[in-house]
Amino acid sequence: MNVITVKNLTISYHKKPAIKGVNLNIEPGSVIGIIGPNGAGKSTLLKGMLGLLPFDTGEIKIFGEDIDKSRKRISYIPQREQFDWDFPINVEDVVMMGRYAHLPIVGFPKAGDKAIVEQVLNKVEMDKYARRQIRQLSGGQQQRVFLARALAQESDVYFLDEPFVGVDAKTERAIFKLMKELKEMGKTLLVVHHDLSMVKDYFDKLILINQTLIAYGDSEKVFTPELINKTYGGRLTMLQKTEELVS
Amino acid sequence: MDIFSKYLLEPVQYEFIQRALIASVTIGISCGLIGTYIMLRRMSLIGDALAHAVLPGVVVSFMVAGKSEVALFIGAVVSGILTVLLIGFVNRNSKIKEDTSIGIIFTGAFALGILLVSQLKQVHIDLSSYLFGDVLGVSTGDITLSMIIMVVIIFCIVLFYKQLLLTSFDPTMAMTIGISTTLVHYMLMTLLSMSIVAGLQSVGVILIIAMLITPPATAYLLSNNLKKILLLSATFGTISAITGLYLSYHFNFASGASIVLVAVALFMLAFLFSPKEGVVTKLFRRRSASKMVLIEDVIKLSYRFKDEPGKTELVDKIANELGISNGRVEAAVKTLIGKGLMERSNGNYLLTADGVKYALRLVRTHRLWETYVTRENVLDLEHIHPEAEKVEHVLTEDMVDELDEELGFPEKDPHGSEIPRK
């Protein structure tokens, strides 16, 4: 069964379409890169699939069901810059948030949840820093904390928004290793990625997008000069120009 | 009668003072707790807006039901929520940004409230007590109301702790796991309106925002832990309210103003002297840091000179090397002896075993750092030494271990000297 099915998805900001008519069938057990230039709608596609944005047309199914029925099966690792790092919270409390999806509305974390938090912190080698306030970590360590939080969610699909931005070599290795492990466990990972180096190493499959879907398929087949040019080609198509005028 | 009982206990025999005390505690706790979330969510402006905007609701409730606490409560909360909805509506349906829309709606609502008070003669409402607060005029009904409000607020914060935390820290994740950020927002706005109602009588609408943000801000300067901040904030709110009440009683000050000034005084104390963030504390820390650098330099040099026989005294050599007076080195040596890192034997100063360990740690840090910056091509060989001289004093042991691991546990530094192992 498909993990995610996207049919004819169009999402607009202030009446201007950010992505248009996207169709995708995503199968389980792969690491998929979402590639495209700035403003191409990469994050919009990701947030659309997560059900965070209202869409104009189209349909999204996760495991064949509406997003609201599969929320426990997905997790999201946002871009680091969106956080208030001075927030009074420490590492283990951030990771505990990963367990919230599994707790009842007024329930408190139990011993089992605490054990999971400890375990995932070990996994990303951040157990030493469990009590640290999050400002007092390096960029890479901060990224590992949010990876740990997603792991604590024990979900089947992982959405990562630019996880490799501003991290050290150790964290990059850790993220890469983790992506592989999760894939081997049959999980699906969708990763927004903005630069073209390492693309073939990181991702089994690629979604090339620039407002419309340019290509989707195995990295080996899709990562070609023609398709990359088409994705990054700077000039607006006539269609996009007219759309700006009539919107 | 001594001063303590004259100023603190004597007033408590009056019933109106007892009521005022209870009101102070409830308002301190209610506002301190809700205010913590208002501060963390950067909603101070909307807090101030709501405080003003409850006025028309209060007046209308007087017109309809006379002096009734229930009516007052309903009127205030309804006009608070209507204001929030209206602000959102203007914001969403025009290009007006949120802060402007807040400014327009709340002043409008406040003006409407004043107009109603001034025009409707049959309403005998003491406007000034609502504007500036009169903690000594709190009625039994007011107290019952504000105690109920406090209990509701505590319950909601305990029960929905995780929703409040997650929507404040990471609203996007909250949405992905199906928590409605809108619902949490309106719950918080309702609780905020309620805490404003609780504080109306004591502090007044104009200054109540201070009770909502000043104690939490004070607590935030003192702690990095949300639960501690909530507790501290409630405590500071209560202390401010009670102290303000006494000032108001003894000196006949306007109660709202004296409560707020106490809260601001507490904030200034934390701002200047907070152990982590205080402005004065940082100044002292910088001074003691430079003293620390001197002490560590003395340890390192004592280690370097330990096997060097010579006529000159250790203190002279160190003073020469560092280019400072003998007196300053003597002082540092004295501190080190006090800490058990140096000792005096046969008229010579020597490092103790602990002192040697300390010296080796400094050398390790220094040499690892030099290896690191050379590898990263940040600085060339000539310039790395002075840089490492500074860095060796600030890196924590954790960071040094991390550095060591990152470098693959090197044996020699770029100058070819051996790096001491841990």
Side-chain angles (χ1 to χ4, degrees):
Chain A
M1 190 175 68
N2 286 329
V3 178
I4 304 173
T5 319
V6 177
K7 270 187 207 150
N8 190 29
L9 182 68
T10 300
I11 296 177
S12 306
Y13 292 116
H14 305 293
K15 293 185 182 165
K16 282 186 191 165
I19 55 171
K20 210 172 149 46
V22 174
N23 289 296
L24 284 168
N25 284 313
I26 291 169
E27 283 143 23
S30 44
V31 181
I32 301 156
I34 303 176
I35 309 285
N38 282 335
K42 299 184 299 272
S43 288
T44 307
L45 176 62
L46 200 74
K47 286 184 179 152
M49 289 195 275
L50 282 161
L52 296 177
L53 297 172
F55 35 89
D56 311 350
T57 64
E59 181 183 83
I60 294 170
K61 296 277 180 199
I62 295 189
F63 296 107
E65 290 195 288
D66 274 350
I67 175 84
D68 281 326
K69 288 190 179 155
S70 356
R71 294 211 176 272
K72 280 185 189 172
R73 303 184 69 177
I74 59 172
S75 55
Y76 172 57
I77 301 171
Q79 288 188 37
R80 263 191 316 123
E81 64 228 38
Q82 77 171 60
F83 290 105
D84 169 12
W85 294 101
D86 288 321
F87 200 91
I89 194 166
N90 65 23
V91 168
E92 62 183 0
D93 289 343
V94 170
V95 178
M96 185 56 87
M97 289 174 170
R99 300 304 303 157
Y100 285 5
H102 301 276
L103 296 174
I105 290 178
V106 290
F108 297 96
K110 307 229 161 35
D113 299 305
K114 282 174 189 153
I116 290 172
V117 167
E118 210 172 296
Q119 192 191 324
V120 295
L121 278 175
N122 260 316
K123 195 164 184 125
V124 298
E125 293 177 46
M126 286 297 293
D127 45 320
K128 264 201 293 187
Y129 305 98
R131 296 291 165 90
R132 279 249 182 119
Q133 197 273 336
I134 50 173
R135 163 74 75 199
Q136 298 154 7
L137 301 170
S138 70
Q141 290 171 331
Q142 290 171 344
Q143 188 69 57
R144 276 184 272 155
V145 172
F146 284 90
L147 276 179
R149 184 177 76 171
L151 290 178
Q153 274 182 265
E154 298 185 317
S155 45
D156 297 310
V157 193
Y158 294 80
F159 295 87
L160 294 87
D161 202 349
E162 302 272 12
F164 295 105
V165 169
V167 302
D168 50 79
K170 184 177 175 183
T171 304
E172 192 174 319
R173 283 195 301 273
I175 299 175
F176 189 43
K177 195 174 137 224
L178 219 59
M179 292 198 316
K180 269 172 115 177
E181 275 179 39
L182 289 168
K183 183 182 80 173
E184 275 152 26
M185 290 161 69
K187 314 277 186 187
T188 308
L189 290 87
L190 284 120
V191 185
V192 169
H193 193 64
H194 79 287
D195 79 72
L196 293 175
S197 60
M198 303 294 285
V199 159
K200 278 192 195 171
D201 298 291
Y202 286 155
F203 309 116
D204 311 321
K205 292 185 178 181
L206 293 177
I207 294 171
L208 299 181
I209 189 169
N210 193 348
Q211 293 205 350
T212 55
L213 182 71
I214 309 288
Y216 169 55
D218 292 341
S219 304
E220 299 292 332
K221 287 183 194 147
V222 176
F223 198 66
T224 61
E226 300 85 67
L227 284 173
I228 294 301
N229 249 336
K230 203 174 159 197
T231 312
Y232 282 79
R235 290 163 73 195
L236 294 173
T237 61
M238 204 56 210
L239 183 71
Q240 288 165 331
K241 279 188 201 162
T242 39
E243 229 150 42
E244 265 181 41
L245 288 175
V246 295
S247 63
Chain B
M1 206 194 296
D2 59 49
I3 292 176
F4 171 75
S5 45
K6 179 160 182 271
Y7 284 100
L8 291 182
L9 296 182
E10 192 198 72
V12 181
Q13 63 184 299
Y14 302 110
E15 228 174 274
F16 74 98
I17 292 285
Q18 292 166 7
R19 282 199 301 270
L21 273 173
I22 298 172
S24 301
V25 175
T26 54
I27 180 199
I29 293 174
S30 301
C31 292
L33 294 177
I34 287 301
T36 301
Y37 290 99
I38 300 302
M39 171 190 70
L40 289 175
R41 295 164 85 108
R42 301 177 199 189
M43 287 167 47
S44 318
L45 187 56
I46 207 159
D48 194 23
L50 271 192
H52 286 76
V54 296
L55 190 64
V58 170
V59 180
V60 170
S61 81
F62 258 87
M63 288 162 53
V64 176
K67 183 153 174 54
S68 143
E69 279 75 26
V70 181
L72 173 101
F73 175 77
I74 295 171
V77 172
V78 167
S79 72
I81 294 297
L82 277 179
T83 307
V84 174
L85 288 171
L86 210 56
I87 289 169
F89 184 75
V90 170
N91 189 27
R92 271 194 307 278
N93 292 290
S94 68
K95 61 181 178 187
I96 303 288
K97 299 284 180 285
E98 193 181 24
D99 57 336
T100 307
S101 133
I102 291 172
I104 294 167
I105 304 298
F106 96 72
T107 47
F110 189 54
L112 180 68
I114 293 177
L115 194 99
L116 286 174
V117 176
S118 65
Q119 286 306 303
L120 299 168
K121 296 280 184 270
Q122 71 270 35
V123 181
H124 297 291
I125 175 170
D126 179 9
L127 186 61
S128 86
S129 88
Y130 279 103
L131 292 185
F132 304 112
D134 179 13
V135 72
L136 302 177
V138 172
S139 72
T140 318
D142 289 333
I143 290 183
T144 319
L145 179 64
S146 58
M147 278 170 75
I148 294 172
I149 289 173
M150 178 183 77
V151 171
V152 171
I153 287 176
I154 292 175
F155 256 97
C156 287
I157 287 182
V158 172
L159 291 180
F160 302 113
Y161 182 79
K162 45 176 205 293
Q163 285 85 350
L164 282 166
L165 174 62
L166 188 53
T167 54
S168 304
F169 177 65
D170 188 356
T172 317
M173 178 186 173
M175 286 188 273
T176 66
I177 66 168
I179 293 176
S180 164
T181 47
T182 320
L183 211 62
V184 176
H185 176 73
Y186 282 113
M187 177 184 89
L188 197 62
M189 287 302 108
T190 311
L191 295 177
L192 175 60
S193 306
M194 286 165 63
S195 66
I196 287 166
V197 176
L200 269 186
Q201 183 68 48
S202 326
V203 185
V205 295
I206 296 183
L207 290 175
I208 186 103
I209 185 65
M211 286 309 285
L212 283 162
I213 57 171
T214 311
T218 312
Y220 184 44
L221 288 179
L222 297 172
S223 174
N224 269 335
N225 176 314
L226 180 57
K227 285 172 191 162
K228 268 188 209 152
I229 291 176
L230 285 166
L231 286 178
L232 279 175
S233 168
T235 311
F236 292 142
T238 307
I239 293 174
S240 313
I242 292 178
T243 315
L245 155 68
Y246 274 101
L247 292 173
S248 173
Y249 172 79
H250 288 298
F251 302 104
N252 209 14
F253 291 160
S255 71
S258 50
I259 290 172
V260 170
L261 285 176
V262 175
V264 172
L266 288 176
F267 173 79
M268 288 314 294
L269 283 177
F271 178 72
L272 294 174
F273 301 111
S274 150
K276 281 180 194 149
E277 315 280 341
V279 174
V280 176
T281 326
K282 279 186 195 155
L283 213 66
F284 272 103
R285 205 185 299 150
R286 213 167 301 147
R287 281 190 56 187
S288 70
S290 67
K291 210 175 146 198
M292 184 76 180
V293 168
L294 172 65
I295 286 174
E296 293 192 340
D297 282 341
V298 170
I299 295 183
K300 224 177 54 174
L301 291 171
S302 311
Y303 179 73
R304 193 194 296 170
F305 297 141
K306 72 180 175 359
D307 303 319
E308 244 176 57
K311 288 169 210 156
T312 39
E313 286 276 333
L314 182 68
V315 171
D316 287 332
K317 279 196 270 187
I318 293 175
N320 268 337
E321 181 77 25
L322 293 175
I324 56 173
S325 71
N326 278 20
R328 286 188 64 195
V329 178
E330 296 271 10
V333 167
K334 224 171 254 170
T335 316
L336 285 168
I337 292 174
K339 286 184 175 176
L341 294 171
M342 276 187 118
E343 58 193 1
R344 200 186 166 103
S345 75
N346 302 332
N348 285 325
Y349 293 117
L350 286 173
L351 285 172
T352 62
D354 281 346
V356 171
K357 228 196 240 166
Y358 200 123
L360 284 174
R361 211 189 80 204
L362 290 171
V363 174
R364 174 169 178 250
T365 310
H366 183 110
R367 292 188 178 159
L368 278 171
W369 180 254
E370 289 190 340
T371 315
Y372 175 68
V373 290
T374 318
R375 184 170 305 184
E376 299 286 309
N377 284 323
V378 188
L379 295 162
D380 51 51
L381 211 53
E382 273 168 61
H383 295 109
I384 61 175
H385 183 78
E387 181 71 18
E389 283 287 323
K390 277 183 255 161
V391 168
E392 68 188 18
H393 303 293
V394 292
L395 288 189
T396 63
E397 207 154 356
D398 273 358
M399 289 165 80
V400 177
D401 288 345
E402 214 172 289
L403 199 60
D404 206 357
E405 194 188 329
E406 175 98 28
L407 293 168
F409 308 103
E411 280 168 16
K412 298 250 160 98
D413 78 358
H415 305 293
S417 317
E418 194 182 326
I419 298 172
R421 294 262 58 96
K422 214 180 162 186

